[in-house]
Amino acid sequence: EILARRELQSNLDRFAALGASVHYYAVDVNNTDEVAQALNRIRHEIGPIRVLVHAAGVLADKAIHQKTLEQFQRVLRTKVEGFRNLLEAAREDALTHIACFSSVAARTGNVGQIDYAMANEILNRVCREERERRGSGCLVKAIGWGPWAGGMVEAGLEKHFKAMGVTLIPLAEGARLFADELTGSNGNATVLGFGGSL
């Protein structure tokens, strides 16, 4: 937890050093009231909300017969309920962009990640519905990421991916791909994947 806080503060400092105006709000994305209050605070302190990026996620990797219902629900809720809470809180905002960090696991599966794969496929489908509902005025993306070289991929997991022949996405490359998707540089596909051979 201490390392995570230091990394967060370091990232906020880097943004500020680049000239970005940074506002950080710690919110439980599963809590409907907290999400609504945070978005109201953003509107009051910063201005209208035009872009939603849902990148929350947790892992509880285990074989299905070893996974508890609580673990399953926690993984599923963070992705699905969290996204629903954001969409509901921004229902009246004139959004121009919606982006979800999905996973290639939604399409390819992954050992021990039945809940994570299901949650990400739900995000993919909700993004398709949002695109239909909002029309051409809002760019909607569900980006099915492969593993990044950083973040949730710690040293042990990195070794596991390398042994499987899975290439990690370098941080700079992932950031560039994400920026390209938000600007529409790669076209207007709603559900797409990056990583490995994708």
Side-chain angles (χ1 to χ4, degrees):
E1 187 177 335
I2 291 170
L3 290 175
R5 287 183 183 174
R6 285 182 183 166
E7 183 179 7
L8 171 64
Q9 189 57 55
S10 173
N11 287 333
L12 294 175
D13 293 343
R14 287 171 59 206
F15 281 126
L18 293 169
S21 175
V22 180
H23 300 258
Y24 178 76
Y25 308 91
V27 175
D28 177 0
V29 74
N30 291 315
N31 186 308
T32 305
D33 292 336
E34 282 187 31
V35 171
Q37 289 168 11
L39 266 61
N40 283 333
R41 190 171 162 198
I42 290 167
R43 290 182 195 100
H44 177 73
E45 295 177 5
I46 303 170
I49 296 171
R50 298 290 178 249
V51 178
L52 279 185
V53 178
H54 179 47
V58 294
L59 296 175
D61 293 4
K62 287 186 178 177
I64 191 169
H65 67 282
Q66 297 173 321
K67 198 179 295 276
T68 68
L69 182 59
E70 179 186 22
Q71 291 166 333
F72 185 92
Q73 289 176 335
R74 184 168 173 254
V75 171
L76 195 72
R77 285 188 70 231
T78 301
K79 286 277 186 186
V80 178
E81 194 79 15
F83 189 37
R84 182 170 70 175
N85 287 339
L86 281 169
L87 289 173
E88 181 60 28
R91 186 170 20 108
E92 302 301 321
D93 293 286
L95 299 176
T96 60
H97 295 74
I98 298 172
C100 281
F101 276 40
S102 182
S103 171
V104 294
R107 297 300 168 88
T108 63
N110 200 13
V111 174
Q113 292 189 336
I114 188 169
D115 43 11
Y116 190 70
M118 181 190 302
N120 283 294
E121 181 57 20
I122 292 171
L123 291 187
N124 294 346
R125 292 173 186 233
V126 171
C127 281
R128 276 199 213 96
E129 290 179 12
E130 283 297 309
R131 179 170 179 179
E132 286 292 316
R133 192 171 73 76
R134 293 174 184 271
S136 61
C138 184
L139 185 69
V140 181
K141 299 283 183 172
I143 305 171
W145 294 108
W148 285 51
M152 292 194 297
V153 179
E154 42 77 41
L157 196 50
E158 183 176 349
K159 281 174 120 178
H160 171 73
F161 281 127
K162 284 187 179 176
M164 291 174 49
V166 175
T167 305
L168 301 182
I169 301 169
L171 292 177
E173 178 70 3
R176 184 190 63 75
L177 290 167
F178 181 62
D180 286 349
E181 287 308 318
L182 280 191
T183 60
S185 300
N186 290 336
N188 63 358
T190 301
V191 179
L192 51 139
F194 290 118
S197 61
L198 297 175

